[in-house]
Amino acid sequence: MSVVLYEKRGRIAYITLNRPEHMNAINEEMHLKLWEIWQEFDADDSVDLAIVTGAGDEAFCAGADLKTHATDWVKRSQSALFPREKIKDGLGGLTRGLHRIYKPVIAAVNGWALAGGLETAMACDIRIASDRAQFGSFEPRRGYHHGDGGIVRVVNTCGVGIAMEMNLTAEPIDAQRALQCNMVNKVVPHDQLMEAAEEMAAKILRNDQWAVRSGKETIMGVIGRQLDDQLAYEAYMGYTGASNPPVAELLKNFADKGRVGKNKTEL
């Protein structure tokens, strides 16, 4: 059976990391398969959104499989060019290399998200966590630290304090603590995880997908810019929406309804 399961149901692509006997750790085979799947997802006009999860009940992903990666990394690190080569592909593509896919990606975190597993979850746009989920940056226990977005995305999403705590102590945080520090968007009972992810997906899919993808691109594009640059970039990206073909008719339909009634979800 494949180390990554890829299934399409309607407009949703389901991507399941499938090495439960190894806590869904990413070996070289899975790394290459994920690159292939993410490229297919990005190019496929029949799907608009992906949900990523891990097989089994123990782990979303325990990170890179050190049994296969560690020896290779140490060996390749002897070359001064290794960092330049590694920058191109990250871990599984989504953390770096294919991170500019503008279709939405939801992580359904069903258990441990450790090291590169935390990085994979943080590379997704929205994270729904099982109440059993645990998040950790365990790399300092092994003598190194995150290199595939685990520091950058935690700083950007949760702030310096949480990034410092997780990386300096190498201690995990549970799902409720992750919710408190904005690491996850929602925590649900374990047996309701996929249902909650699909409910979130449905809310995204009811919208115009050009607008959704442009919004994601804009959010990613303003990170790290100065305020005036952020505002200018947002204005540029936002006002290009006037040329999106459905806009004129959608605005006309909204105007024709007149004043908004009780159902404000139609706004």
Side-chain angles (χ1 to χ4, degrees), residues 13 15 38 41-42 48-53 60 94 98-108 120-128 185 197 200-201 204 212 216:
I15 299 171
W38 285 121
F41 166 71
D42 191 28
D48 291 309
L49 181 147
I51 295 176
V52 186
T53 194
F60 172 76
L94 193 64
L98 296 174
H99 60 287
R100 290 288 181 180
I101 293 174
Y102 295 123
K103 293 179 181 180
V105 180
I106 297 172
T120 299
M122 294 304 296
C124 298
D125 306 310
I126 292 173
R127 287 161 291 283
I128 310 294
N185 300 82
M200 184 69 73
I204 295 170
V212 166
K216 175 176 175 177

PDB file of all heavy atoms in Angstrom, residues 13 15 38 41-42 48-53 60 94 98-108 120-128 185 197 200-201 204 212 216:
ATOM      1  N   ALA A  13      -9.788  17.060  -2.052  1.00  0.00           N
ATOM      2  CA  ALA A  13      -8.750  16.035  -2.140  1.00  0.00           C
ATOM      3  C   ALA A  13      -8.362  15.641  -0.716  1.00  0.00           C
ATOM      4  O   ALA A  13      -8.110  16.506   0.125  1.00  0.00           O
ATOM      5  CB  ALA A  13      -7.539  16.561  -2.896  1.00  0.00           C
ATOM      6  N   ILE A  15      -5.641  13.737   1.566  1.00  0.00           N
ATOM      7  CA  ILE A  15      -4.250  13.283   1.555  1.00  0.00           C
ATOM      8  C   ILE A  15      -3.948  12.703   2.938  1.00  0.00           C
ATOM      9  O   ILE A  15      -4.013  13.420   3.946  1.00  0.00           O
ATOM     10  CB  ILE A  15      -3.296  14.447   1.225  1.00  0.00           C
ATOM     11  CG1 ILE A  15      -3.623  15.006  -0.176  1.00  0.00           C
ATOM     12  CG2 ILE A  15      -1.836  14.000   1.310  1.00  0.00           C
ATOM     13  CD1 ILE A  15      -2.898  16.285  -0.509  1.00  0.00           C
ATOM     14  N   TRP A  38       1.175  16.779  -4.274  1.00  0.00           N
ATOM     15  CA  TRP A  38       0.898  18.215  -4.194  1.00  0.00           C
ATOM     16  C   TRP A  38       0.924  18.865  -5.573  1.00  0.00           C
ATOM     17  O   TRP A  38       0.121  19.760  -5.864  1.00  0.00           O
ATOM     18  CB  TRP A  38       1.891  18.906  -3.260  1.00  0.00           C
ATOM     19  CG  TRP A  38       1.634  18.658  -1.813  1.00  0.00           C
ATOM     20  CD1 TRP A  38       2.472  18.083  -0.904  1.00  0.00           C
ATOM     21  CD2 TRP A  38       0.432  18.962  -1.094  1.00  0.00           C
ATOM     22  NE1 TRP A  38       1.871  18.011   0.322  1.00  0.00           N
ATOM     23  CE2 TRP A  38       0.622  18.546   0.246  1.00  0.00           C
ATOM     24  CE3 TRP A  38      -0.789  19.538  -1.444  1.00  0.00           C
ATOM     25  CZ2 TRP A  38      -0.358  18.691   1.219  1.00  0.00           C
ATOM     26  CZ3 TRP A  38      -1.770  19.688  -0.477  1.00  0.00           C
ATOM     27  CH2 TRP A  38      -1.550  19.267   0.835  1.00  0.00           C
ATOM     28  N   PHE A  41      -2.380  17.857  -7.219  1.00  0.00           N
ATOM     29  CA  PHE A  41      -3.478  18.628  -6.618  1.00  0.00           C
ATOM     30  C   PHE A  41      -3.515  20.044  -7.152  1.00  0.00           C
ATOM     31  O   PHE A  41      -4.579  20.564  -7.524  1.00  0.00           O
ATOM     32  CB  PHE A  41      -3.302  18.628  -5.094  1.00  0.00           C
ATOM     33  CG  PHE A  41      -4.157  19.638  -4.369  1.00  0.00           C
ATOM     34  CD1 PHE A  41      -5.524  19.484  -4.267  1.00  0.00           C
ATOM     35  CD2 PHE A  41      -3.575  20.760  -3.769  1.00  0.00           C
ATOM     36  CE1 PHE A  41      -6.315  20.406  -3.598  1.00  0.00           C
ATOM     37  CE2 PHE A  41      -4.354  21.694  -3.095  1.00  0.00           C
ATOM     38  CZ  PHE A  41      -5.722  21.514  -3.011  1.00  0.00           C
ATOM     39  N   ASP A  42      -2.379  20.685  -7.221  1.00  0.00           N
ATOM     40  CA  ASP A  42      -2.299  22.071  -7.684  1.00  0.00           C
ATOM     41  C   ASP A  42      -2.773  22.208  -9.125  1.00  0.00           C
ATOM     42  O   ASP A  42      -3.430  23.192  -9.479  1.00  0.00           O
ATOM     43  CB  ASP A  42      -0.859  22.571  -7.551  1.00  0.00           C
ATOM     44  CG  ASP A  42      -0.732  24.070  -7.756  1.00  0.00           C
ATOM     45  OD1 ASP A  42      -1.706  24.800  -7.482  1.00  0.00           O
ATOM     46  OD2 ASP A  42       0.348  24.518  -8.187  1.00  0.00           O
ATOM     47  N   ASP A  48     -10.671  21.737  -5.368  1.00  0.00           N
ATOM     48  CA  ASP A  48     -10.406  23.111  -4.947  1.00  0.00           C
ATOM     49  C   ASP A  48      -9.804  23.214  -3.557  1.00  0.00           C
ATOM     50  O   ASP A  48      -9.408  24.306  -3.133  1.00  0.00           O
ATOM     51  CB  ASP A  48     -11.708  23.924  -4.962  1.00  0.00           C
ATOM     52  CG  ASP A  48     -12.211  24.164  -6.373  1.00  0.00           C
ATOM     53  OD1 ASP A  48     -11.430  24.637  -7.215  1.00  0.00           O
ATOM     54  OD2 ASP A  48     -13.391  23.860  -6.638  1.00  0.00           O
ATOM     55  N   LEU A  49      -9.729  22.104  -2.841  1.00  0.00           N
ATOM     56  CA  LEU A  49      -9.300  22.164  -1.445  1.00  0.00           C
ATOM     57  C   LEU A  49      -8.766  20.794  -1.041  1.00  0.00           C
ATOM     58  O   LEU A  49      -9.234  19.762  -1.529  1.00  0.00           O
ATOM     59  CB  LEU A  49     -10.483  22.559  -0.570  1.00  0.00           C
ATOM     60  CG  LEU A  49     -10.287  22.702   0.933  1.00  0.00           C
ATOM     61  CD1 LEU A  49     -11.196  23.813   1.474  1.00  0.00           C
ATOM     62  CD2 LEU A  49     -10.606  21.399   1.672  1.00  0.00           C
ATOM     63  N   ALA A  50      -7.786  20.785  -0.137  1.00  0.00           N
ATOM     64  CA  ALA A  50      -7.228  19.527   0.364  1.00  0.00           C
ATOM     65  C   ALA A  50      -7.376  19.440   1.877  1.00  0.00           C
ATOM     66  O   ALA A  50      -7.271  20.446   2.582  1.00  0.00           O
ATOM     67  CB  ALA A  50      -5.760  19.394  -0.027  1.00  0.00           C
ATOM     68  N   ILE A  51      -7.635  18.223   2.358  1.00  0.00           N
ATOM     69  CA  ILE A  51      -7.604  17.923   3.782  1.00  0.00           C
ATOM     70  C   ILE A  51      -6.493  16.906   3.996  1.00  0.00           C
ATOM     71  O   ILE A  51      -6.470  15.847   3.363  1.00  0.00           O
ATOM     72  CB  ILE A  51      -8.946  17.355   4.272  1.00  0.00           C
ATOM     73  CG1 ILE A  51     -10.056  18.417   4.137  1.00  0.00           C
ATOM     74  CG2 ILE A  51      -8.833  16.898   5.734  1.00  0.00           C
ATOM     75  CD1 ILE A  51     -11.441  17.911   4.516  1.00  0.00           C
ATOM     76  N   VAL A  52      -5.565  17.232   4.896  1.00  0.00           N
ATOM     77  CA  VAL A  52      -4.413  16.377   5.181  1.00  0.00           C
ATOM     78  C   VAL A  52      -4.564  15.794   6.577  1.00  0.00           C
ATOM     79  O   VAL A  52      -4.875  16.523   7.527  1.00  0.00           O
ATOM     80  CB  VAL A  52      -3.092  17.175   5.117  1.00  0.00           C
ATOM     81  CG1 VAL A  52      -1.898  16.243   5.274  1.00  0.00           C
ATOM     82  CG2 VAL A  52      -2.994  17.957   3.825  1.00  0.00           C
ATOM     83  N   THR A  53      -4.334  14.500   6.710  1.00  0.00           N
ATOM     84  CA  THR A  53      -4.381  13.869   8.024  1.00  0.00           C
ATOM     85  C   THR A  53      -3.401  12.704   8.059  1.00  0.00           C
ATOM     86  O   THR A  53      -2.714  12.433   7.074  1.00  0.00           O
ATOM     87  CB  THR A  53      -5.822  13.405   8.361  1.00  0.00           C
ATOM     88  OG1 THR A  53      -5.914  13.103   9.751  1.00  0.00           O
ATOM     89  CG2 THR A  53      -6.233  12.200   7.526  1.00  0.00           C
ATOM     90  N   PHE A  60      -0.487  12.342  13.716  1.00  0.00           N
ATOM     91  CA  PHE A  60      -0.626  13.049  12.442  1.00  0.00           C
ATOM     92  C   PHE A  60       0.646  12.821  11.644  1.00  0.00           C
ATOM     93  O   PHE A  60       0.626  12.310  10.531  1.00  0.00           O
ATOM     94  CB  PHE A  60      -0.857  14.536  12.722  1.00  0.00           C
ATOM     95  CG  PHE A  60      -0.820  15.415  11.502  1.00  0.00           C
ATOM     96  CD1 PHE A  60      -1.884  15.446  10.615  1.00  0.00           C
ATOM     97  CD2 PHE A  60       0.285  16.241  11.242  1.00  0.00           C
ATOM     98  CE1 PHE A  60      -1.860  16.266   9.486  1.00  0.00           C
ATOM     99  CE2 PHE A  60       0.319  17.059  10.124  1.00  0.00           C
ATOM    100  CZ  PHE A  60      -0.754  17.069   9.251  1.00  0.00           C
ATOM    101  N   LEU A  94       5.334  20.749   0.833  1.00  0.00           N
ATOM    102  CA  LEU A  94       4.438  21.810   1.281  1.00  0.00           C
ATOM    103  C   LEU A  94       5.132  22.781   2.220  1.00  0.00           C
ATOM    104  O   LEU A  94       4.799  23.966   2.253  1.00  0.00           O
ATOM    105  CB  LEU A  94       3.213  21.202   1.971  1.00  0.00           C
ATOM    106  CG  LEU A  94       2.044  22.162   2.219  1.00  0.00           C
ATOM    107  CD1 LEU A  94       1.458  22.669   0.913  1.00  0.00           C
ATOM    108  CD2 LEU A  94       0.961  21.485   3.048  1.00  0.00           C
ATOM    109  N   LEU A  98       6.841  23.874  -2.534  1.00  0.00           N
ATOM    110  CA  LEU A  98       5.484  23.912  -3.084  1.00  0.00           C
ATOM    111  C   LEU A  98       4.541  24.686  -2.162  1.00  0.00           C
ATOM    112  O   LEU A  98       3.333  24.504  -2.201  1.00  0.00           O
ATOM    113  CB  LEU A  98       4.962  22.483  -3.296  1.00  0.00           C
ATOM    114  CG  LEU A  98       5.724  21.641  -4.320  1.00  0.00           C
ATOM    115  CD1 LEU A  98       5.199  20.214  -4.337  1.00  0.00           C
ATOM    116  CD2 LEU A  98       5.634  22.247  -5.713  1.00  0.00           C
ATOM    117  N   HIS A  99       5.115  25.548  -1.339  1.00  0.00           N
ATOM    118  CA  HIS A  99       4.305  26.285  -0.367  1.00  0.00           C
ATOM    119  C   HIS A  99       3.466  27.383  -1.007  1.00  0.00           C
ATOM    120  O   HIS A  99       2.597  27.946  -0.357  1.00  0.00           O
ATOM    121  CB  HIS A  99       5.191  26.893   0.724  1.00  0.00           C
ATOM    122  CG  HIS A  99       6.220  27.850   0.196  1.00  0.00           C
ATOM    123  ND1 HIS A  99       7.331  27.428  -0.499  1.00  0.00           N
ATOM    124  CD2 HIS A  99       6.305  29.210   0.264  1.00  0.00           C
ATOM    125  CE1 HIS A  99       8.059  28.482  -0.843  1.00  0.00           C
ATOM    126  NE2 HIS A  99       7.454  29.572  -0.391  1.00  0.00           N
ATOM    127  N   ARG A 100       3.702  27.679  -2.285  1.00  0.00           N
ATOM    128  CA  ARG A 100       2.914  28.697  -2.971  1.00  0.00           C
ATOM    129  C   ARG A 100       1.736  28.106  -3.743  1.00  0.00           C
ATOM    130  O   ARG A 100       1.317  28.649  -4.764  1.00  0.00           O
ATOM    131  CB  ARG A 100       3.811  29.499  -3.920  1.00  0.00           C
ATOM    132  CG  ARG A 100       4.812  30.408  -3.207  1.00  0.00           C
ATOM    133  CD  ARG A 100       4.133  31.589  -2.574  1.00  0.00           C
ATOM    134  NE  ARG A 100       5.065  32.479  -1.901  1.00  0.00           N
ATOM    135  CZ  ARG A 100       4.709  33.589  -1.273  1.00  0.00           C
ATOM    136  NH1 ARG A 100       3.443  33.952  -1.257  1.00  0.00           N
ATOM    137  NH2 ARG A 100       5.608  34.336  -0.665  1.00  0.00           N
ATOM    138  N   ILE A 101       1.214  26.998  -3.262  1.00  0.00           N
ATOM    139  CA  ILE A 101      -0.058  26.493  -3.789  1.00  0.00           C
ATOM    140  C   ILE A 101      -1.158  27.336  -3.151  1.00  0.00           C
ATOM    141  O   ILE A 101      -1.259  27.417  -1.925  1.00  0.00           O
ATOM    142  CB  ILE A 101      -0.243  25.003  -3.438  1.00  0.00           C
ATOM    143  CG1 ILE A 101       0.789  24.153  -4.190  1.00  0.00           C
ATOM    144  CG2 ILE A 101      -1.663  24.535  -3.765  1.00  0.00           C
ATOM    145  CD1 ILE A 101       0.786  22.690  -3.793  1.00  0.00           C
ATOM    146  N   TYR A 102      -2.007  27.966  -3.976  1.00  0.00           N
ATOM    147  CA  TYR A 102      -2.982  28.908  -3.427  1.00  0.00           C
ATOM    148  C   TYR A 102      -4.359  28.292  -3.189  1.00  0.00           C
ATOM    149  O   TYR A 102      -5.242  28.963  -2.666  1.00  0.00           O
ATOM    150  CB  TYR A 102      -3.068  30.144  -4.319  1.00  0.00           C
ATOM    151  CG  TYR A 102      -1.761  30.917  -4.321  1.00  0.00           C
ATOM    152  CD1 TYR A 102      -1.086  31.185  -5.505  1.00  0.00           C
ATOM    153  CD2 TYR A 102      -1.184  31.314  -3.123  1.00  0.00           C
ATOM    154  CE1 TYR A 102       0.122  31.872  -5.494  1.00  0.00           C
ATOM    155  CE2 TYR A 102       0.025  31.992  -3.101  1.00  0.00           C
ATOM    156  CZ  TYR A 102       0.678  32.269  -4.289  1.00  0.00           C
ATOM    157  OH  TYR A 102       1.883  32.935  -4.269  1.00  0.00           O
ATOM    158  N   LYS A 103      -4.538  27.019  -3.521  1.00  0.00           N
ATOM    159  CA  LYS A 103      -5.745  26.325  -3.095  1.00  0.00           C
ATOM    160  C   LYS A 103      -5.646  26.099  -1.586  1.00  0.00           C
ATOM    161  O   LYS A 103      -4.574  25.801  -1.067  1.00  0.00           O
ATOM    162  CB  LYS A 103      -5.869  24.974  -3.805  1.00  0.00           C
ATOM    163  CG  LYS A 103      -6.112  25.058  -5.298  1.00  0.00           C
ATOM    164  CD  LYS A 103      -6.195  23.659  -5.905  1.00  0.00           C
ATOM    165  CE  LYS A 103      -6.404  23.703  -7.398  1.00  0.00           C
ATOM    166  NZ  LYS A 103      -6.476  22.330  -7.987  1.00  0.00           N
ATOM    167  N   PRO A 104      -6.764  26.211  -0.858  1.00  0.00           N
ATOM    168  CA  PRO A 104      -6.717  26.038   0.593  1.00  0.00           C
ATOM    169  C   PRO A 104      -6.362  24.611   0.992  1.00  0.00           C
ATOM    170  O   PRO A 104      -6.752  23.642   0.329  1.00  0.00           O
ATOM    171  CB  PRO A 104      -8.136  26.385   1.038  1.00  0.00           C
ATOM    172  CG  PRO A 104      -8.714  27.186  -0.083  1.00  0.00           C
ATOM    173  CD  PRO A 104      -8.088  26.659  -1.328  1.00  0.00           C
ATOM    174  N   VAL A 105      -5.638  24.502   2.113  1.00  0.00           N
ATOM    175  CA  VAL A 105      -5.244  23.210   2.666  1.00  0.00           C
ATOM    176  C   VAL A 105      -5.586  23.204   4.155  1.00  0.00           C
ATOM    177  O   VAL A 105      -5.160  24.090   4.897  1.00  0.00           O
ATOM    178  CB  VAL A 105      -3.740  22.944   2.469  1.00  0.00           C
ATOM    179  CG1 VAL A 105      -3.363  21.579   3.051  1.00  0.00           C
ATOM    180  CG2 VAL A 105      -3.357  23.028   0.989  1.00  0.00           C
ATOM    181  N   ILE A 106      -6.359  22.202   4.575  1.00  0.00           N
ATOM    182  CA  ILE A 106      -6.753  22.045   5.970  1.00  0.00           C
ATOM    183  C   ILE A 106      -6.019  20.853   6.559  1.00  0.00           C
ATOM    184  O   ILE A 106      -6.003  19.771   5.963  1.00  0.00           O
ATOM    185  CB  ILE A 106      -8.276  21.827   6.093  1.00  0.00           C
ATOM    186  CG1 ILE A 106      -9.040  23.052   5.577  1.00  0.00           C
ATOM    187  CG2 ILE A 106      -8.666  21.526   7.543  1.00  0.00           C
ATOM    188  CD1 ILE A 106     -10.547  22.848   5.493  1.00  0.00           C
ATOM    189  N   ALA A 107      -5.428  21.028   7.716  1.00  0.00           N
ATOM    190  CA  ALA A 107      -4.814  19.914   8.436  1.00  0.00           C
ATOM    191  C   ALA A 107      -5.808  19.394   9.468  1.00  0.00           C
ATOM    192  O   ALA A 107      -6.318  20.166  10.286  1.00  0.00           O
ATOM    193  CB  ALA A 107      -3.531  20.343   9.119  1.00  0.00           C
ATOM    194  N   ALA A 108      -6.102  18.094   9.412  1.00  0.00           N
ATOM    195  CA  ALA A 108      -6.905  17.436  10.437  1.00  0.00           C
ATOM    196  C   ALA A 108      -5.917  16.677  11.325  1.00  0.00           C
ATOM    197  O   ALA A 108      -5.493  15.566  11.003  1.00  0.00           O
ATOM    198  CB  ALA A 108      -7.923  16.494   9.805  1.00  0.00           C
ATOM    199  N   THR A 120       4.730  20.431   8.955  1.00  0.00           N
ATOM    200  CA  THR A 120       3.734  20.110   7.925  1.00  0.00           C
ATOM    201  C   THR A 120       2.376  20.687   8.286  1.00  0.00           C
ATOM    202  O   THR A 120       1.690  21.277   7.448  1.00  0.00           O
ATOM    203  CB  THR A 120       3.648  18.588   7.740  1.00  0.00           C
ATOM    204  OG1 THR A 120       4.922  18.082   7.315  1.00  0.00           O
ATOM    205  CG2 THR A 120       2.593  18.220   6.705  1.00  0.00           C
ATOM    206  N   ALA A 121       1.969  20.531   9.549  1.00  0.00           N
ATOM    207  CA  ALA A 121       0.693  21.090   9.990  1.00  0.00           C
ATOM    208  C   ALA A 121       0.689  22.611   9.871  1.00  0.00           C
ATOM    209  O   ALA A 121      -0.290  23.216   9.409  1.00  0.00           O
ATOM    210  CB  ALA A 121       0.404  20.673  11.434  1.00  0.00           C
ATOM    211  N   MET A 122       1.794  23.250  10.271  1.00  0.00           N
ATOM    212  CA  MET A 122       1.869  24.707  10.220  1.00  0.00           C
ATOM    213  C   MET A 122       1.900  25.229   8.783  1.00  0.00           C
ATOM    214  O   MET A 122       1.562  26.388   8.533  1.00  0.00           O
ATOM    215  CB  MET A 122       3.092  25.204  10.987  1.00  0.00           C
ATOM    216  CG  MET A 122       3.058  24.946  12.492  1.00  0.00           C
ATOM    217  SD  MET A 122       1.609  25.624  13.335  1.00  0.00           S
ATOM    218  CE  MET A 122       1.856  27.386  13.087  1.00  0.00           C
ATOM    219  N   ALA A 123       2.326  24.386   7.838  1.00  0.00           N
ATOM    220  CA  ALA A 123       2.339  24.789   6.435  1.00  0.00           C
ATOM    221  C   ALA A 123       0.945  24.775   5.833  1.00  0.00           C
ATOM    222  O   ALA A 123       0.737  25.322   4.739  1.00  0.00           O
ATOM    223  CB  ALA A 123       3.268  23.882   5.632  1.00  0.00           C
ATOM    224  N   CYS A 124      -0.010  24.135   6.520  1.00  0.00           N
ATOM    225  CA  CYS A 124      -1.403  24.162   6.071  1.00  0.00           C
ATOM    226  C   CYS A 124      -2.032  25.502   6.461  1.00  0.00           C
ATOM    227  O   CYS A 124      -1.514  26.221   7.304  1.00  0.00           O
ATOM    228  CB  CYS A 124      -2.172  22.991   6.684  1.00  0.00           C
ATOM    229  SG  CYS A 124      -1.538  21.360   6.196  1.00  0.00           S
ATOM    230  N   ASP A 125      -3.154  25.811   5.855  1.00  0.00           N
ATOM    231  CA  ASP A 125      -3.777  27.121   6.064  1.00  0.00           C
ATOM    232  C   ASP A 125      -4.656  27.168   7.307  1.00  0.00           C
ATOM    233  O   ASP A 125      -4.749  28.194   7.983  1.00  0.00           O
ATOM    234  CB  ASP A 125      -4.602  27.494   4.832  1.00  0.00           C
ATOM    235  CG  ASP A 125      -3.778  27.429   3.566  1.00  0.00           C
ATOM    236  OD1 ASP A 125      -2.680  28.016   3.547  1.00  0.00           O
ATOM    237  OD2 ASP A 125      -4.219  26.789   2.595  1.00  0.00           O
ATOM    238  N   ILE A 126      -5.324  26.070   7.584  1.00  0.00           N
ATOM    239  CA  ILE A 126      -6.227  25.968   8.733  1.00  0.00           C
ATOM    240  C   ILE A 126      -5.943  24.633   9.403  1.00  0.00           C
ATOM    241  O   ILE A 126      -5.754  23.618   8.730  1.00  0.00           O
ATOM    242  CB  ILE A 126      -7.701  26.061   8.297  1.00  0.00           C
ATOM    243  CG1 ILE A 126      -8.017  27.475   7.771  1.00  0.00           C
ATOM    244  CG2 ILE A 126      -8.645  25.700   9.438  1.00  0.00           C
ATOM    245  CD1 ILE A 126      -9.399  27.622   7.172  1.00  0.00           C
ATOM    246  N   ARG A 127      -5.921  24.630  10.744  1.00  0.00           N
ATOM    247  CA  ARG A 127      -5.650  23.408  11.479  1.00  0.00           C
ATOM    248  C   ARG A 127      -6.814  23.100  12.420  1.00  0.00           C
ATOM    249  O   ARG A 127      -7.154  23.923  13.279  1.00  0.00           O
ATOM    250  CB  ARG A 127      -4.336  23.543  12.284  1.00  0.00           C
ATOM    251  CG  ARG A 127      -3.105  23.490  11.405  1.00  0.00           C
ATOM    252  CD  ARG A 127      -1.878  24.075  12.077  1.00  0.00           C
ATOM    253  NE  ARG A 127      -1.995  25.522  12.252  1.00  0.00           N
ATOM    254  CZ  ARG A 127      -1.815  26.415  11.259  1.00  0.00           C
ATOM    255  NH1 ARG A 127      -1.495  25.987  10.051  1.00  0.00           N
ATOM    256  NH2 ARG A 127      -1.952  27.707  11.484  1.00  0.00           N
ATOM    257  N   ILE A 128      -7.420  21.932  12.229  1.00  0.00           N
ATOM    258  CA  ILE A 128      -8.440  21.421  13.137  1.00  0.00           C
ATOM    259  C   ILE A 128      -7.779  20.292  13.924  1.00  0.00           C
ATOM    260  O   ILE A 128      -7.200  19.378  13.341  1.00  0.00           O
ATOM    261  CB  ILE A 128      -9.662  20.864  12.382  1.00  0.00           C
ATOM    262  CG1 ILE A 128     -10.169  21.866  11.330  1.00  0.00           C
ATOM    263  CG2 ILE A 128     -10.767  20.484  13.359  1.00  0.00           C
ATOM    264  CD1 ILE A 128     -10.721  23.145  11.889  1.00  0.00           C
ATOM    265  N   ASN A 185      -7.059  26.240  14.834  1.00  0.00           N
ATOM    266  CA  ASN A 185      -8.273  27.041  14.726  1.00  0.00           C
ATOM    267  C   ASN A 185      -9.416  26.502  15.562  1.00  0.00           C
ATOM    268  O   ASN A 185     -10.320  27.240  15.959  1.00  0.00           O
ATOM    269  CB  ASN A 185      -8.722  27.113  13.262  1.00  0.00           C
ATOM    270  CG  ASN A 185      -7.672  27.733  12.375  1.00  0.00           C
ATOM    271  OD1 ASN A 185      -6.741  27.067  11.945  1.00  0.00           O
ATOM    272  ND2 ASN A 185      -7.794  29.014  12.096  1.00  0.00           N
ATOM    273  N   ALA A 197     -13.412  18.982   9.939  1.00  0.00           N
ATOM    274  CA  ALA A 197     -12.592  19.439   8.812  1.00  0.00           C
ATOM    275  C   ALA A 197     -13.445  19.622   7.568  1.00  0.00           C
ATOM    276  O   ALA A 197     -13.274  20.591   6.817  1.00  0.00           O
ATOM    277  CB  ALA A 197     -11.468  18.446   8.549  1.00  0.00           C
ATOM    278  N   MET A 200     -15.547  22.770   7.824  1.00  0.00           N
ATOM    279  CA  MET A 200     -14.737  23.941   7.491  1.00  0.00           C
ATOM    280  C   MET A 200     -14.537  24.024   5.987  1.00  0.00           C
ATOM    281  O   MET A 200     -14.624  25.107   5.383  1.00  0.00           O
ATOM    282  CB  MET A 200     -13.396  23.863   8.206  1.00  0.00           C
ATOM    283  CG  MET A 200     -12.499  25.081   8.001  1.00  0.00           C
ATOM    284  SD  MET A 200     -13.119  26.580   8.816  1.00  0.00           S
ATOM    285  CE  MET A 200     -12.755  26.177  10.545  1.00  0.00           C
ATOM    286  N   ALA A 201     -14.284  22.877   5.354  1.00  0.00           N
ATOM    287  CA  ALA A 201     -14.101  22.848   3.901  1.00  0.00           C
ATOM    288  C   ALA A 201     -15.350  23.354   3.194  1.00  0.00           C
ATOM    289  O   ALA A 201     -15.255  24.117   2.218  1.00  0.00           O
ATOM    290  CB  ALA A 201     -13.767  21.429   3.454  1.00  0.00           C
ATOM    291  N   ILE A 204     -15.569  27.051   3.038  1.00  0.00           N
ATOM    292  CA  ILE A 204     -14.641  27.628   2.063  1.00  0.00           C
ATOM    293  C   ILE A 204     -15.146  27.408   0.651  1.00  0.00           C
ATOM    294  O   ILE A 204     -15.104  28.317  -0.196  1.00  0.00           O
ATOM    295  CB  ILE A 204     -13.243  27.015   2.237  1.00  0.00           C
ATOM    296  CG1 ILE A 204     -12.658  27.388   3.604  1.00  0.00           C
ATOM    297  CG2 ILE A 204     -12.297  27.455   1.120  1.00  0.00           C
ATOM    298  CD1 ILE A 204     -11.387  26.646   3.967  1.00  0.00           C
ATOM    299  N   VAL A 212     -10.988  33.182  -3.002  1.00  0.00           N
ATOM    300  CA  VAL A 212     -10.344  32.419  -1.928  1.00  0.00           C
ATOM    301  C   VAL A 212      -8.839  32.321  -2.181  1.00  0.00           C
ATOM    302  O   VAL A 212      -8.020  32.584  -1.294  1.00  0.00           O
ATOM    303  CB  VAL A 212     -10.971  31.015  -1.828  1.00  0.00           C
ATOM    304  CG1 VAL A 212     -10.113  30.089  -0.969  1.00  0.00           C
ATOM    305  CG2 VAL A 212     -12.382  31.103  -1.249  1.00  0.00           C
ATOM    306  N   LYS A 216      -5.724  34.021  -0.083  1.00  0.00           N
ATOM    307  CA  LYS A 216      -4.599  33.276   0.492  1.00  0.00           C
ATOM    308  C   LYS A 216      -3.277  33.840  -0.009  1.00  0.00           C
ATOM    309  O   LYS A 216      -2.339  34.041   0.780  1.00  0.00           O
ATOM    310  CB  LYS A 216      -4.704  31.797   0.122  1.00  0.00           C
ATOM    311  CG  LYS A 216      -3.502  30.973   0.581  1.00  0.00           C
ATOM    312  CD  LYS A 216      -3.659  29.486   0.282  1.00  0.00           C
ATOM    313  CE  LYS A 216      -2.397  28.718   0.631  1.00  0.00           C
ATOM    314  NZ  LYS A 216      -2.533  27.252   0.428  1.00  0.00           N
TER     315      LYS A 216
END
